[in-house]
Amino acid sequence: MRIHKKSTRILDKHDRHILRILQQEARISMRDLGERVGLSVSPCIERVKRMERDGVITGYYARIDPQALGMKLLMFVEISLQQKSALAVEHFRIEVLDIPQVQECHLVSGDFDFLVKARIHDMAEYRTLLEDLLLRLPGEAQSKSYIVIEEIKETFALSTDVL
């Protein structure tokens, strides 16, 4: 895992414009990116490299349609730990990192402890996943699952507007 230093530099309008474009078109050429943001190629490249170095840009990836891999079901699972200790939370965190179907896992405040997002092939895999999540926990746990009927909006893009 690459550790980035946190930038204290404020992102200006060119940086934000670059980020907005790269979130939608990560494979754009630096020449085209520079033209679109009103910079020559060298300053554009330098800004992108600085934002990568500072950890503002954390990576580039291919976004894959889950249906193409047969992952027909999207589900969210609320997990409530019976045992509320730092050790129990850390144990669950370590275990959930090893479950490939889990795309996201968040420790949250409220009526439950974790919110898990997973993509799976079918209901048989759902049962296995749920058993894996619960059996890996120390002590007892409760869960509440939600199967998504229709995805209305899903994006990883962040607003680059200044508030």
Side-chain angles (χ1 to χ4, degrees):
M1 175 185 239
R2 198 167 140 197
I3 298 177
H4 303 282
K5 70 176 190 172
K6 293 292 180 191
S7 175
T8 55
R9 181 180 169 158
I10 295 173
L11 300 174
D12 66 17
K13 70 176 184 167
H14 288 300
D15 292 333
R16 290 176 181 279
H17 196 179
I18 288 169
L19 292 172
R20 191 168 30 258
I21 292 168
L22 286 177
Q23 284 187 106
Q24 300 301 316
E25 304 172 57
R27 294 176 57 140
I28 191 171
S29 73
M30 288 296 129
R31 183 181 57 79
D32 290 344
L33 180 60
E35 285 177 10
R36 296 214 0 222
V37 299
L39 295 171
S40 62
V41 175
S42 292
C44 185
I45 289 171
E46 189 52 44
R47 284 173 179 267
V48 170
K49 287 185 187 245
R50 177 185 40 81
M51 288 189 286
E52 290 172 344
R53 191 174 50 249
D54 291 349
V56 175
I57 298 173
T58 60
Y60 302 88
Y61 66 95
R63 186 157 181 201
I64 301 168
D65 178 2
Q67 297 286 329
L69 298 175
M71 296 175 184
K72 299 175 188 145
L73 297 176
L74 171 60
M75 63 182 279
F76 292 87
V77 182
E78 297 173 357
I79 304 284
S80 297
L81 301 178
Q82 193 71 19
Q83 198 177 60
K84 310 282 187 189
S85 70
L87 185 61
V89 169
E90 180 63 13
H91 180 76
F92 181 73
R93 187 189 71 77
I94 290 168
E95 292 295 335
V96 81
L97 291 173
D98 286 336
I99 302 174
Q101 298 91 333
V102 172
Q103 291 186 294
E104 297 179 28
C105 179
H106 306 276
L107 177 62
V108 297
S109 63
D111 295 335
F112 53 96
D113 301 306
F114 295 97
L115 180 62
V116 174
K117 174 184 174 184
R119 290 213 181 252
I120 55 177
H121 294 89
D122 53 31
M123 291 305 284
E125 188 175 9
Y126 163 71
R127 180 181 172 142
T128 302
L129 175 65
L130 197 55
E131 288 172 354
D132 281 351
L133 284 171
L134 297 177
L135 291 176
R136 292 178 184 220
L137 293 173
E140 294 183 28
Q142 294 180 344
S143 70
K144 191 175 196 180
S145 299
Y146 304 91
I147 303 295
V148 174
I149 296 170
E150 179 183 358
E151 293 178 60
I152 306 298
K153 178 180 180 181
E154 181 182 63
T155 182
F156 296 105
L158 299 172
S159 172
T160 57
D161 297 337
V162 179
L163 297 177

